[in-house]
Amino acid sequence: KGVRVVEGKEIPWNLFMPKAPYQGKVVPNNVHPHTLTQDTGDANWETTHVTFDHGGNVPYIEGQSIGVIAPGPDKKGETPAKIRLYSIASSAVGDEQSSKTVALCVKRVVEVDGEYANREVGEDKPDKAGTGFPDKKVYRGVCSNHICDMSPGDEVLITGPTGAEMLLPEEEDANIIMLATGTGIAPMRSYMRLLFHDKAGANADGSRKFKGL
């Protein structure tokens, strides 16, 4: 428990499970503002950058995911809600390069007058970004809204890490093609931070060598 061997290399794996999650804490992020996007008028316009302090207890590598447990209730009425997996947006050392934080880029899920609703007319209240639709039936993603509404000092329940499908290749001459489809930009940011920014991705002399971009 705690590691998995992938192509001959041990990687962190499910150190914390839904029945025994790690309790982390939201910390300020000095790299990005909380809200990354501008209000376009669409209901689900907001994407946020949120950083959790895990104290070095939830190690991970680029390309993995963590689970977040929201208080709930979820759409089935369960409390707490079932975990939701989110691709990690920071490199293994975290945005602070201390190996004690993990960052997520999360799009707030809001649907107005759709097929499903968990807020009837008159029940929806403005979220942290100030977006609200009290005169409409609204569906808000339980975990995405939980994360997007977080502030520094808030506690968060974390599971994982998990995922071995999107790890960076070990070969130095490997070609890397990044396509952000269903994953969103989060894992791509994780790779880019390592390859182009964080000290952990540089050579001993501080240089970085690429054969083509």
Side-chain angles (χ1 to χ4, degrees):
K1 181 182 177 180
V3 297
R4 178 178 176 180
V5 178
V6 178
E7 297 185 359
K9 177 183 176 181
E10 287 190 348
I11 65 173
W13 195 265
N14 284 336
L15 291 161
F16 295 93
M17 304 295 286
K19 292 185 178 180
Y22 180 80
Q23 184 172 289
K25 184 171 289 187
V26 181
V27 294
N29 187 288
N30 299 319
V31 178
H32 297 291
H34 178 79
T35 297
L36 300 173
T37 47
Q38 294 183 342
D39 189 346
T40 60
D42 294 332
N44 59 346
W45 64 271
E46 187 184 19
T47 297
T48 62
H49 186 97
V50 185
T51 304
F52 306 143
D53 182 354
H54 59 73
N57 296 297
V58 190
Y60 58 89
I61 62 175
E62 297 79 13
Q64 289 193 296
S65 303
I66 58 170
V68 174
I69 302 175
D74 63 14
K75 61 183 179 182
K76 293 184 179 180
E78 294 184 9
T79 302
K82 290 185 177 180
I83 69 164
R84 297 293 188 271
L85 291 177
Y86 291 92
S87 296
I88 295 170
S90 50
S91 75
V93 296
D95 284 354
E96 305 298 325
Q97 300 189 57
S98 64
S99 298
K100 294 182 178 180
T101 65
V102 58
L104 302 180
C105 290
V106 178
K107 184 177 181 64
R108 185 190 294 274
V109 176
V110 183
E111 297 178 3
V112 177
D113 288 337
E115 184 176 353
Y116 302 101
N118 51 12
R119 288 162 176 79
E120 297 299 322
V121 174
E123 293 182 349
D124 192 52
K125 298 178 181 179
D127 52 39
K128 184 176 180 179
T131 303
F133 304 91
D135 58 337
K136 299 181 183 295
K137 293 177 64 175
V138 179
Y139 174 79
R140 285 186 177 268
V142 175
C143 201
S144 69
N145 279 267
H146 171 60
I147 294 172
C148 290
D149 283 337
M150 285 180 168
S151 298
D154 289 349
E155 295 178 344
V156 58
L157 298 179
I158 300 170
T159 69
T162 189
E165 295 79 17
M166 294 187 63
L167 307 183
L168 283 171
E170 292 288 328
E171 297 80 8
E172 293 186 358
D173 60 349
N175 294 319
I176 301 174
I177 300 173
M178 301 184 191
L179 299 174
T181 53
T183 65
I185 63 170
M188 313 308 164
R189 182 184 185 276
S190 175
Y191 306 147
M192 300 289 274
R193 290 281 299 187
L194 175 69
L195 296 173
F196 293 97
H197 183 274
D198 295 343
K199 292 180 180 179
N203 297 315
D205 61 0
S207 65
R208 301 171 195 265
K209 297 179 180 179
F210 300 94
K211 295 182 179 180
L213 292 175

